[in-house]
Amino acid sequence: MRSVPLDAETILTATEDVLRRHGPAKATVLDVARALGVSHASVYRHFPSKAALREAVTRRWLGRARDPLAAIAADPRQAPPERLRTWFTTLFAAKRTLLSEDPELFATYRVLTAEHSSAAADHVTDLIEQLRVIIADGVTSGDFTSPDPTATARTVFDATMAYHHPAHAPEWRSPGAEAALESVCALLINGLRSR
């Protein structure tokens, strides 16, 4: 049995490994416990149910994508137009990297985010808030014009769906995908510029 103390992060890491091996349909709390060398009751002390464990691992995964983007959104060293471009290219690169380097886990998280729609909705809300910050900063600096940065952020997010929504993942491998995103960013930035 395990001699090192068990914590939530250790359980989440093991859960990712189990999900990668077994997929979301077959992975169980018992599999996670076995991988850790503990009883399933030990896992349940940290997560009261299989659903809670799966939601926590989903939120952790989504947080990995969100946190670097939050740093970009809040970075005052970049002008808002460049910050907006960097934010989208970073989001796209992260999604595409995960898809190409760990396709099994990417497919698993597509299933988990659908199961835990509140985690996915919270993630989208966070991302739109980051865009709102960039756009509002652009309005303040005179780089952008927008009567409602929140509504504009939602529109910009929706307009770029092909570069971050998992349903479009097969298109991300296209050789022209980065150039296409750059064109979309240029169009959006130009449309937001003060006249």
Side-chain angles (χ1 to χ4, degrees):
M1 284 309 231
R2 185 176 183 84
S3 60
V4 178
L6 190 63
D7 63 16
E9 283 302 306
T10 303
I11 294 169
L12 293 174
T13 299
T15 302
E16 279 191 355
D17 292 339
V18 167
L19 286 166
R20 185 180 290 112
R21 279 196 316 268
H22 301 293
K26 294 184 180 175
T28 67
V29 173
L30 192 56
D31 293 326
V32 173
R34 277 191 203 118
L36 290 166
V38 299
S39 70
H40 65 285
S42 297
V43 175
Y44 283 126
R45 277 191 211 101
H46 293 273
F47 299 97
S49 66
K50 179 180 176 180
L53 177 59
R54 289 163 73 105
E55 180 175 358
V57 82
T58 301
R59 287 185 184 277
R60 180 184 191 218
W61 180 67
L62 292 170
R64 283 190 203 124
R66 180 195 61 241
D67 295 345
L69 295 169
I72 293 166
D75 185 358
R77 295 170 297 174
Q78 270 191 327
E82 192 53 39
R83 218 182 318 159
L84 189 64
R85 179 180 283 109
T86 301
W87 192 92
F88 275 114
T89 57
T90 301
L91 175 60
F92 178 64
K95 297 267 184 158
R96 192 160 80 167
T97 298
L98 183 59
L99 174 64
S100 64
E101 290 180 358
D102 203 342
E104 295 84 9
L105 198 56
F106 186 86
T108 293
Y109 280 115
R110 283 185 70 180
V111 171
L112 292 180
T113 54
E115 283 179 7
H116 300 285
S117 58
S118 66
D122 291 347
H123 177 66
V124 169
T125 298
D126 287 345
L127 296 182
I128 291 171
E129 173 56 19
Q130 290 175 21
L131 288 172
R132 187 206 61 77
V133 166
I134 296 169
I135 292 164
D137 285 354
V139 170
T140 300
S141 69
D143 288 304
F144 296 151
T145 184
S146 170
D148 182 351
T150 300
T152 301
R154 181 67 203 203
T155 301
V156 167
F157 186 79
D158 290 346
T160 57
M161 198 74 70
Y163 303 97
H164 52 80
H165 193 286
H168 295 276
E171 301 159 27
W172 300 345
R173 293 181 176 163
S174 160
E178 286 175 341
L181 175 58
E182 180 56 39
S183 295
V184 169
C185 286
L187 181 68
L188 291 170
I189 290 167
N190 197 38
L192 289 168
R193 288 201 187 274
S194 295
R195 302 282 181 243

